[in-house]
Amino acid sequence: QMYVFEKQGGQLELLHNWPVSTGRERTERTPTGITTSTVTPAGYFQFDAGRMFRNYRSVQWNNAPMPNAMFFNWMNQGRLTGIAIHGVLGRPVASLGERASAGCVRLSPESSEILFDLVRGSYQGRVPRFDFDERTSTLSRDGALARGGDGELQYSDGYRALIFIDTFGGEEPTAIF
């Protein structure tokens, strides 16, 4: 499930509640022959302002359409990941509510369009950056924020949206936006 909230007057108001598909939670070989994990990672994420695409196709998964793709700004062990929230077309729509993706959070075409327009239209601005572990070259998923030498928060341009993915103790992951 994906729950979309908006902060209004200091309170969170539920805007949307949609079924989603998350990762199949196993290691698989892509059609291009690469062995990869299909886990949807838990934690806190931000959107990558430079990787928001109305029409995108997966390089790894047979050029599969990923409409309204909003990639996470998450670097893991020195590599920018391909994890995103996006729509699905055709038969995958019937799998919403089940573990059926290669790690992304998948929505219906209509829901993904609403979310894409909401984020792009209303939430662009300065955001605090997540902490980066130099030793592992990984951005924090625990919500820790980056601070300068003076202790002040570090900011960058992006989208004022926070994605939280929870496994609820091993059950199906839930995306809260």
Side-chain angles (χ1 to χ4, degrees):
Q1 257 340 87
M2 175 182 286
Y3 304 98
V4 179
F5 296 92
E6 182 174 65
K7 191 173 182 180
Q8 295 178 1
Q11 300 291 322
L12 291 179
E13 294 288 327
L14 180 64
L15 297 180
H16 303 285
N17 178 358
W18 295 313
V20 298
S21 289
T22 57
R24 293 180 290 268
E25 304 294 315
R26 58 184 181 234
T27 300
E28 298 180 24
R29 187 174 304 276
T30 69
T32 58
I34 298 168
T35 301
T36 189
S37 169
T38 61
V39 170
T40 299
Y44 294 91
F45 301 93
Q46 295 171 318
F47 288 121
D48 183 338
R51 296 190 304 155
M52 306 279 275
F53 304 99
R54 180 70 69 185
N55 297 298
Y56 188 82
R57 293 195 166 268
S58 172
V59 174
Q60 285 188 325
W61 296 97
N62 269 352
N63 210 27
M66 297 170 58
N68 306 304
M70 297 177 285
F71 285 86
F72 293 3
N73 184 24
W74 183 44
M75 182 168 285
N76 187 20
Q77 301 197 8
R79 294 182 45 210
L80 198 56
T81 68
I83 302 293
I85 295 174
H86 63 83
V88 291
L89 303 173
R91 288 191 324 196
V93 173
S95 299
L96 292 174
E98 302 172 11
R99 290 187 180 274
S101 82
C104 290
V105 177
R106 301 189 317 188
L107 294 162
S108 73
E110 299 81 13
S111 299
S112 71
E113 185 173 2
I114 290 167
L115 185 63
F116 189 90
D117 291 343
L118 179 68
V119 170
R120 295 280 310 257
S122 301
Y123 296 106
Q124 196 164 6
R126 303 280 292 158
V127 295
R129 292 180 18 215
F130 282 158
D131 198 21
F132 184 76
D133 184 335
E134 297 285 342
R135 187 179 48 79
T136 63
S137 297
T138 301
L139 273 172
S140 172
R141 289 186 297 158
D142 66 6
L145 299 175
R147 297 186 178 273
D150 58 2
E152 294 294 316
L153 287 176
Q154 295 182 341
Y155 289 83
S156 61
D157 291 329
Y159 290 96
R160 294 183 316 262
L162 181 65
I163 303 115
F164 177 66
I165 299 177
D166 193 353
T167 60
F168 289 106
E171 297 173 13
E172 298 293 309
T174 300
I176 299 175
F177 171 84

